[in-house]
Amino acid sequence: MSESSRDTAQGAGWGAAERGLYRQLMPEQVEKLSWLNPGTLWAARNGVLASWFGDPTGRTRERWTARRAAAGAPADKVIRRETPERFSFLVVGDTGEGDDPQFAVVPGLLKEGAGTEFAVIASDVIYPVGNTDDYGPKFFRPYRDYPGPVYAVPGNHDWYEGLGGFMRVFCAEDRPLDPEAPARPLSRAWWRGLLWHRPRPVDEQRLAAARELRSAPGQQAVQPGPYWALDAGPLRIVGIDTGLLGTIDAEQGAWLREVSRGPRPKILVTGSPLYVDGEHHPCAIEGGGTVDDIVRDPEHRYVAAIGGDIHNYQRYPVDVDGRTVQYVVSGGGGAFMHATHTIPRVSIANVTERDFRCYPLRGDSLAFYSRLYGRRLRMRRLFTLSEAEATAVVADRLGIEPSRPPGPDARITLRARLVASLLGAGGRPDRTSRLRLPVRKIYTQLFSPSSATYSPPFFKSFLRLDVTPEAIRLRCFAATGNRAQEIDPPVEDEVTIPLP
């Protein structure tokens, strides 16, 4: 087994390392996505408009699911696979930027995905707005050599063009929804419709050519809609669609309550994680209740809830009335890396730093961002921290033992403390002022989305879950973009989940 980031800096991908061969999988020309581009931000405006003028995704989702039902999709939205009692599958989240970080995941995913029955994408299949024409370079090409079917739950970016591309690719829809009746002039819905980003016409020839990249019979799958359940072996996987704003509508909520009944152990896959960055986000259901209420109900027998949206890996083993539910963030499949060094010292739902896991490690995250902003601000001498300096200063701020020994030469200097503060590094609750909390949130929201990079280490990740009638073995594998980690992807976290 190769060294991981918890063992050495080289295991994290630092140092002079041979670059991976993933670029051989990429097209000759790659459009680099920048969230600093005003055009990109304007195209992705629908989330903001939904928060201002009302969220239409519930009604749109109902129309899509009604059409799928009319086409013969099962009423219970359950996919029933002929799968052995012992099987494996992959989970990868927030994949579709179509650039170096996404393709860097592919070699390790194919290696560790050998023998898996299927894969699931958790959130944001296509950036920036889920356009159908982007599925060729950002979905079909990267995963053309994965032999099994791929299922998906949409993220907010897949909704920025009304979910049309997602429904075409995953649900066998062949046309857009008909326009709805005009809203009353000057109403909130009227203003929303006036400013709303609408889908571009689909290039049918381009989509047909893209589909040829994953045209083998074993690669085919049709979902009953954007939310679904999948029965495989002893397990039921339940995928929900949290739309633009991280909530679900009443119709989907009623379905979720119904499909969660029964003796099968279950895993939830969601576009919005329920525990993330040291906080609890239970996911409201229209009309009352939350998704986490359903997960916590012992009669529903959930053992894990895996969410995308945040572009890193986190795990919170939460005790729920004497049983442990593993709440996992798995959003490291290709998009820019969200910082982990901004996560404060974890103390939530009886989960402490001793139990919490994340990738990248907070010190590596701080070192990554210090180099990134050192380059961008042309202040490398001031901003850039070595991985050893970053590891030491993060451990000091959090009051914990470092996850990886920082080395004998690591010193916590005034400059290191300053850089850590400027880049929003977390701290202990007893040392965190009320002023620092909003500053850290502003940093996370404002600075992280622009932080795509094109040279390793990328700190990407994916999950492999091995299922038996007795337990699930969940492993988080790293993808750095370096050749060593392509040949032998390191395991950054592993947990065995007993099945009731």
Side-chain angles (χ1 to χ4, degrees), residues 277 338-339 342 424 439-449:
D277 295 344
H338 272 132
T342 58
V439 168
R440 187 176 301 122
K441 286 186 178 291
I442 291 171
Y443 169 84
T444 302
Q445 295 172 7
L446 182 63
F447 288 94
S448 289

Side-chain angles (χ1 to χ4, degrees), residues 182-198:
R184 180 171 52 85
L186 302 182
S187 64
R188 294 176 72 205
W190 183 85
W191 283 109
R192 183 183 66 220
L194 182 67
L195 300 171
W196 200 252
H197 171 81
R198 288 178 171 77

Side-chain angles (χ1 to χ4, degrees), residues 6 61 68 87 114 133 164 167 201 204 220 245 280 286 306 314 325 329 348 378 386-387 394 413 434 452 468 473 498:
R6 293 180 175 272
R61 187 186 295 116
R68 292 296 303 134
F87 73 98
D133 291 348
M167 296 299 293
E204 298 292 349
Q220 306 312 302
L245 301 182
H280 184 211
E286 180 187 22
I306 302 173
Q314 301 174 43
V325 177
V329 179
I348 186 169
R378 298 183 180 181
S386 70
E387 60 276 10
V394 163
T413 63
R434 292 183 179 180
T468 71
R473 181 191 188 195

Side-chain angles (χ1 to χ4, degrees), residues 359-374:
Y359 176 78
L361 300 178
R362 291 179 174 105
D364 289 329
S365 171
L366 178 59
F368 175 95
Y369 272 85
S370 74
R371 297 179 187 205
L372 175 69
Y373 283 101

